[in-house]
Amino acid sequence: MDIKQYEQQRRQVASFMTRLYDRQLTTASGGNISLRINADLFCITPSALDKGLLTFEDIAVVTIDGKNMTPHLRLSIETEMHRLILISRPDCTAIVHAHPTYVSAFTAIQKDGKCAINTHLIAESYYILEDPVLVDYRLMGTVNLAEIAAVKAFDHDVLLLENHGAVTLGRSMLEAFDKMELFERAAQMTVITAQMAASGYDVSALGESRLKQLMQMKYQK
């Protein structure tokens, strides 16, 4: 297979990983991004390389069956999670896995067994993220994590991995990236509003009727 024909997709993945790093949404060694190339292939960031300095030549090409078509590149340990999510969600084109600071803090915090990040504070957060789902802890890089994440991703685009990080799905790379960035902002707003409430301020989140109105607006296009 001549992987040179996929340079555009590989450049896009490398570019968005640099952007993810520059926005301080992940670290030099953490996080991974994948992009569906076609029904048979996807590309993904590698392991053991500086995530802030990737070029298109560093981006691996993998078959949907899991075969590395760029054997000179060491695949991300989360390749199986990306692969199974892409299979689970044929409508999904891009996946971002990262460890933003505030979001990551919430991976160790639960509220009634659910994700404690409040996406109901502003309309944009709920419109784009809806209610994130909490994925129970599984050891990173394992098939167990890949399988449970793929199941949760079947009907959710935003996953909070217990004691680990976050995963966002999109129909484009920009959409998946935007969800991760907005997820971090929602986590920050959750902390800020909790602090303000503790200081005696009233916090007014979106009520059920407003949430329903937003979903009608989103899905009746």
Side-chain angles (χ1 to χ4, degrees), residues 25-62:
L25 295 172
T26 197
T27 61
S29 61
N32 27 78
I33 290 177
S34 67
L35 178 67
R36 191 192 302 274
I37 295 174
N38 54 42
D40 302 314
L41 298 170
F42 67 97
C43 54
I44 187 167
T45 49
S47 178
L49 292 179
D50 187 340
K51 298 300 172 59
L53 297 174
L54 296 180
T55 69
F56 82 92
E57 295 173 322
D58 299 318
I59 307 303
V61 176
V62 186

Side-chain angles (χ1 to χ4, degrees), residues 12-199:
Q12 190 176 12
V13 168
S15 175
F16 270 91
M17 180 51 84
T18 299
R19 190 172 177 182
L20 196 72
Y21 178 79
D22 288 345
R23 294 293 294 166
Q24 298 185 339
L25 295 172
T26 197
T27 61
S29 61
N32 27 78
I33 290 177
S34 67
L35 178 67
R36 191 192 302 274
I37 295 174
N38 54 42
D40 302 314
L41 298 170
F42 67 97
C43 54
I44 187 167
T45 49
S47 178
L49 292 179
D50 187 340
K51 298 300 172 59
L53 297 174
L54 296 180
T55 69
F56 82 92
E57 295 173 322
D58 299 318
I59 307 303
V61 176
V62 186
T63 71
I64 203 67
D65 295 324
K67 181 179 179 180
N68 184 4
M69 305 307 293
T70 46
H72 60 287
L73 295 173
R74 181 179 170 187
L75 294 182
S76 166
I77 66 168
E78 302 297 2
T79 299
E80 186 69 359
M81 179 172 70
H82 287 256
R83 187 180 77 85
L84 294 186
I85 290 175
L86 288 171
I87 292 173
S88 172
R89 289 287 302 274
D91 62 314
C92 168
T93 298
I95 301 170
V96 174
H97 169 48
H99 314 103
T101 302
Y102 281 82
V103 164
S104 295
F106 276 95
T107 69
I109 300 170
Q110 296 184 24
K111 186 175 183 180
D112 300 323
K114 298 179 180 180
C115 173
I117 297 174
N118 190 351
T119 58
H120 298 185
L121 294 170
I122 64 171
E124 182 189 25
S125 292
Y126 189 69
Y127 184 85
I128 294 176
L129 303 174
E130 300 185 28
D131 288 316
V133 65
L134 179 67
V135 178
D136 293 339
Y137 179 80
R138 297 291 189 277
L139 183 63
M140 62 182 184
T142 63
V143 174
N144 283 343
L145 175 60
E147 290 175 342
I148 191 173
V151 170
K152 293 287 187 176
F154 184 76
D155 55 2
H156 287 86
D157 288 352
V158 183
L159 316 180
L160 187 68
L161 309 182
E162 185 180 8
N163 298 112
H164 187 168
V167 175
T168 55
L169 287 62
R171 291 167 294 181
S172 68
M173 185 59 71
L174 179 60
E175 184 177 293
F177 175 86
D178 184 46
K179 288 174 183 174
M180 184 62 72
E181 190 169 38
L182 189 56
F183 199 24
E184 175 70 347
R185 298 297 178 268
Q188 292 172 340
M189 285 186 281
T190 300
V191 172
I192 292 168
T193 53
Q195 292 172 338
M196 298 299 287
S199 299

